[in-house]
Amino acid sequence: NAYITLLDVEKPDFGLVSIPLKPGDSVMTVTPGPMKFLSSDGALTAFFLAQGTSDLHAINVDVASLGPKGKGTSLQIFPTAAGASEFVLYRGADGEDRVLVLCTSARMAGVVHPASSEVKLYSLNFSPRNVMLFTMVSTETGVEEQFAFIYDDTGASQAYYFVELDRIQEKKSKAF
């Protein structure tokens, strides 16, 4: 339960590539959840949350240098907050990939910038459970921008935030 194994379905004779999900001396159990993927020129990144940790994991694969024993792969772990339960991938206004992570039990949302390993956490006044991405014309700029609708539709009271994803770097928590 501490490895993810990759198989190239186009080259099955290539062999399996196993990637460890925790340090060799760790006794914690890491069980990966569903993965979401980003691809670019000759590279593939798989993101996932895992039971047993509150971090966002990313497996980076350089397809051209992929080889036995994990050659051409790397694992990044981004510390988010307790109760990380859902995430979505999006491309920022600067063209860089980002990950929006909901942290239900900590009542937070996190924005991960994989290229720089930067993680920003934002406090919310409810436990976020769901997220939807959409675009619309901003009332402030008159330009089409990306937004996230973060909400909790459980229980008697329902709560939500609209988040200006394209302007979160400049506006920080005011983007919520």
Side-chain angles (χ1 to χ4, degrees), residues 95-117:
E96 297 278 330
D97 293 321
R98 303 254 187 325
V99 184
L100 177 64
V101 181
L102 303 185
C103 306
T104 304
S105 60
R107 301 181 119 199
M108 300 184 106
V111 176
V112 177
H113 183 238
S116 70
S117 298

Side-chain angles (χ1 to χ4, degrees), residues 30-69:
V30 177
T31 306
M35 294 185 175
K36 297 179 183 175
F37 299 89
L38 288 175
S39 63
S40 60
D41 299 328
L44 175 70
T45 304
F47 294 92
F48 63 93
L49 297 170
Q51 292 177 0
T53 175
S54 61
D55 303 324
L56 176 72
H57 295 69
I59 297 173
N60 303 297
V61 179
D62 179 348
V63 177
S65 64
L66 189 62
K69 299 186 180 187

Side-chain angles (χ1 to χ4, degrees), residues 107-156:
R107 301 181 119 199
M108 300 184 106
V111 176
V112 177
H113 183 238
S116 70
S117 298
E118 182 180 43
V119 178
K120 297 270 188 184
L121 296 172
Y122 300 92
S123 294
L124 305 175
N125 62 5
F126 67 94
S127 297
R129 299 191 188 284
N130 302 293
V131 61
M132 292 176 20
L133 299 182
F134 63 96
T135 58
M136 70 177 209
V137 175
S138 168
T139 56
E140 287 183 34
T141 65
V143 175
E144 186 169 274
E145 296 181 9
Q146 293 183 96
F147 290 81
F149 179 56
I150 298 174
Y151 61 101
D152 177 11
D153 59 358
T154 62

